[in-house]
């Protein structure tokens, strides 16, 4: 059936695009020095595939076909732009021609198109999409679009925003990069470290939204989490000598290892203390522990302390190594949180440390720490502050106070599954402290 065959080809194109689009855009961005233009050209290549592959069949090397087609279209556009710009007295007079980008470098660009250092290009694309000149939400949307291979509709659905909102956010991000003349290059020295922090922040924000959804009816969004993991693995391969890159990868692998145990058959959350650790993914744990070893070795060879992602990975490793919650080295986790608070202090870190203190030294000691956080403005609407406090009060036998705290926490929760969990705790039908 021709219809079924065409559908199969379209599915193949979709799969190839998700895998190869970041590489194609990265190479084109090096060529034309403009991310927005590079994405347009990559889309042209996708349209060409949709036109030719149903008729001619999927090529043996579909990624190479897309890349070659995109390069040819880019070179045609570069030559046209250069020709048009030569008709003007001043280079760049015609903004539509983008002469300011291409004319001085047309010869170099044509030569560069014959080379294909995809690794370097992908790394440049990551650092450009996560440039600090963009707002965090714009960095996330642009990164998912360019490097995650997600459609605007998929990004909007993942973050419970409208498709026009996400589309506008992406368009503004590309325009901002162009207006700021952000170079498509790897920053050096201090600039690298500053930009690296932004890159890691974006990738982890994407992962966290998949790991525990902020809003909606689902506790997790596995597809979003897998995209973030793919980006982290790519980044770790492209920057293997950066301790914090390895630390972030370790943290994400170890956290992702718990996925199968984090919900029950009805999709309800199962918190860390109640999870069946036999269902944790041992392969992901091994990968995470190896990445943590690399992060620790890199930090040691540089003569420095572990960064915040590596420290959080070390905390996750304590959980991964323990047979159950009771066997966990809680005192060791408290010490790691002490170190984390030195390098990345925040109210959430202090709250998580209080949870570990409660497990290591008892609920009374932890409650004192939690009470000291109740007036912190940053935690005013954070549902896990009253939830942690409720758990500690419950362990101290103060059940009426605990019930009120869980009910308050439920009013702050924006995720339906979280709200159900907290209300169940208020009714004495569940156990746990915070999501893990």
């Amino acid at each position: 059936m021709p219809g079924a065959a065409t559908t199969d080809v379209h599915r193949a194109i979709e799969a190839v695009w998700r895998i190869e689009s970041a590489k194609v855009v990265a190479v084109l961005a090096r060529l034309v020095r403009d991310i927005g233009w590079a994405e347009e050209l990559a889309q042209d290549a996708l349209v060409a595939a949709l036109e030719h592959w149903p008729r001619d069949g999927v090529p043996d090397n579909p990624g190479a076909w897309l890349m070659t087609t995109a390069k040819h279209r880019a070179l045609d556009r570069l030559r046209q732009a250069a020709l048009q710009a030569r008709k003007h007295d001043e280079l760049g007079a015609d903004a539509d021609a983008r002469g300011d980008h291409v004319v001085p470098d047309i010869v170099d660009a044509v030569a560069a198109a014959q080379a294909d250092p995809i690794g370097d290009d992908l790394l440049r694309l990551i650092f450009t999409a996560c440039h600090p000149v963009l707002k965090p939400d714009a960095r996330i949307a642009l990164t998912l679009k360019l490097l995650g291979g997600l459609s605007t509709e998929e990004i909007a659905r993942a973050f419970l925003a409208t498709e026009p909102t996400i589309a506008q956010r992406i368009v503004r991000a590309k325009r901002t990069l162009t207006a700021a003349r952000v170079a498509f290059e790897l920053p050096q020295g201090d600039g690298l470290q500053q930009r690296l922090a932004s890159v890691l922040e974006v990738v982890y924000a994407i992962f966290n939204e998949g790991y525990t959804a902020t809003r909606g009816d689902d506790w997790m969004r596995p597809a979003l989490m897998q995209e973030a993991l793919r980006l982290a693995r790519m980044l770790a391969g492209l920057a293997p000598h950066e301790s914090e890159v390895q630390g972030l990868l370790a943290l994400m692998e170890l956290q992702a290892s718990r996925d199968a145990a984090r919900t029950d058959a009805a999709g309800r959350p199962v918190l860390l203390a109640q999870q069946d650790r036999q269902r944790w993914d041992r392969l992901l744990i091994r990968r995470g522990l190896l990445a943590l070893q690399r992060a620790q070795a890199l930090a040691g060879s540089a003569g420095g302390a572990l960064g915040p992602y590596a420290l959080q990975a070390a905390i996750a490793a304590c959980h991964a190594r323990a047979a159950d919650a009771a066997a966990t080295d809680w005192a060791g986790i408290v010490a790691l949180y002490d170190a984390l608070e030195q390098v990345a202090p925040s109210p959430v870190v202090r709250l998580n440390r209080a949870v570990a203190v409660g497990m290591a030294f008892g609920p009374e000691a932890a409650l004192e720490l939690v009470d000291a956080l109740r007036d912190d403005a940053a935690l005013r609407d954070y549902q896990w502050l009253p939830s942690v406090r409720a758990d500690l009060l419950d362990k101290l036998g103060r059940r009426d106070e605990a019930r009120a705290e869980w009910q308050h926490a439920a009013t702050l929760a924006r995720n339906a599954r979280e709200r159900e969990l907290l209300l169940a705790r208020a009714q004495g039908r569940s156990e746990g402290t915070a999501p893990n």
Side-chain angles (χ1 to χ4, degrees), residues 355-378:
V355 173
V357 166
M359 298 299 293
F361 307 113
E364 192 167 353
L367 184 60
E368 183 178 349
L369 298 174
V370 172
D371 283 346
L373 294 170
R374 295 181 74 188
D375 294 329
D376 194 307

Side-chain angles (χ1 to χ4, degrees), residues 36-200:
W37 195 10
E39 191 182 17
E40 290 175 17
L41 292 165
Q43 291 286 343
D44 287 347
L46 175 61
V47 170
L50 290 168
E51 292 173 351
H52 290 279
W53 293 8
R55 183 189 65 211
D56 303 333
V58 178
D60 293 337
N61 190 335
W65 190 99
L66 281 175
M67 185 72 75
T68 300
T69 301
K71 281 183 178 180
H72 286 162
R73 289 174 183 263
L75 291 176
D76 288 342
R77 292 279 293 274
L78 284 168
R79 292 188 180 101
Q80 290 170 9
L83 180 62
Q84 185 173 1
R86 280 196 290 269
K87 298 176 182 178
H88 294 77
D89 293 333
E90 294 183 15
L91 296 177
D94 186 344
D96 290 335
R98 289 186 174 96
D100 57 330
H101 286 285
V102 303
V103 176
D105 302 307
I106 183 67
V107 175
D108 292 340
V110 173
Q114 309 311 316
D116 197 18
I118 285 176
D120 289 347
D121 287 335
L122 281 172
L123 196 54
R124 290 187 188 99
L125 185 59
I126 291 174
F127 275 85
T128 304
C130 297
H131 194 283
V133 73
L134 301 177
K135 294 180 180 179
D137 57 355
R139 295 178 211 161
I140 291 173
L142 188 59
T143 301
L144 283 174
K145 186 71 165 63
L146 297 180
L147 289 136
L150 299 186
S151 68
T152 305
E153 180 185 3
E154 288 173 315
I155 299 170
R157 188 166 61 247
F159 288 94
L160 300 181
T162 66
E163 191 171 347
T165 296
I166 294 297
Q168 291 172 7
R169 191 174 298 169
I170 292 170
V171 168
R172 284 197 299 268
K174 290 185 286 191
R175 287 176 178 169
T176 298
L177 292 174
T178 299
R181 295 185 177 276
V182 172
F184 186 71
E185 62 185 11
L186 289 178
Q188 302 297 321
D190 292 341
L192 175 64
Q193 292 304 315
Q194 294 168 1
R195 295 269 287 277
L196 182 61
S198 176
V199 170
L200 299 182

